[in-house]
Amino acid sequence: MDTKIIKSVDTRRGKLFEVKVNGKIIRIVITWHALDGADDYNISAKKLLNFLIHPEEVIRGHANRFIAHKILNRHLARVIYEYENETVVVITFYISHINRYFKGGIYEDKILP
């Protein structure tokens, strides 16, 4: 499943991406805060999008948010996001220890059906 970035536009809030995956186009905003967090770990925007779209689990967070998890050796990439209408908005990103947050592969949300 390759993630293809069709369009990328800077907005006041962050970068708006139109991404094509399996023939489906998804609109995703990655906030400047989340992009800064990814940059701290030398994670590209495309890799961050892949963590979000192809997670190993998704758990429910606070305030109608979700957290996509991707395992990175003994660590866990955490992508916190919410929905604004039909657009996915990535609020923040960071890496933590796997044993602190990973629940074993549950999915409380899926961006791709």
Side-chain angles (χ1 to χ4, degrees):
M1 284 186 265
D2 189 35
T3 303
K4 183 177 182 187
I5 298 172
I6 299 171
K7 184 175 162 183
S8 171
V9 178
D10 287 356
T11 68
R12 179 186 56 79
R13 190 168 186 192
K15 273 194 182 290
L16 169 64
F17 293 91
E18 286 189 7
V19 180
K20 187 172 186 177
V21 185
N22 298 342
K24 182 178 180 183
I25 295 177
I26 306 167
R27 290 173 49 92
I28 301 169
V29 172
I30 303 178
T31 63
W32 297 118
H33 175 74
L35 287 167
D36 286 345
D39 192 49
D40 289 345
Y41 297 101
N42 293 319
I43 301 291
S44 68
K46 182 166 184 171
K47 197 168 200 173
L48 181 61
L49 288 166
N50 275 310
F51 292 167
L52 174 69
I53 295 168
H54 307 291
E56 292 174 82
E57 82 175 357
V58 178
I59 61 173
R60 193 171 290 278
H62 300 292
N64 295 321
R65 291 182 176 167
F66 294 95
I67 306 164
H69 287 160
K70 189 71 168 181
I71 296 172
L72 305 172
N73 296 320
R74 295 186 334 256
H75 292 90
L76 192 67
R78 302 189 85 213
V79 183
I80 292 81
Y81 68 96
E82 63 189 16
Y83 293 95
E84 288 184 7
N85 301 314
E86 298 294 316
T87 302
V88 178
V89 179
V90 175
I91 305 301
T92 193
F93 168 81
Y94 64 96
I95 294 177
S96 184
H97 292 282
I98 191 169
N99 58 354
R100 184 164 183 187
Y101 295 107
F102 193 70
K103 305 279 189 223
I106 62 173
Y107 289 91
E108 296 188 57
D109 182 57
K110 285 191 178 183
I111 293 172
L112 289 178

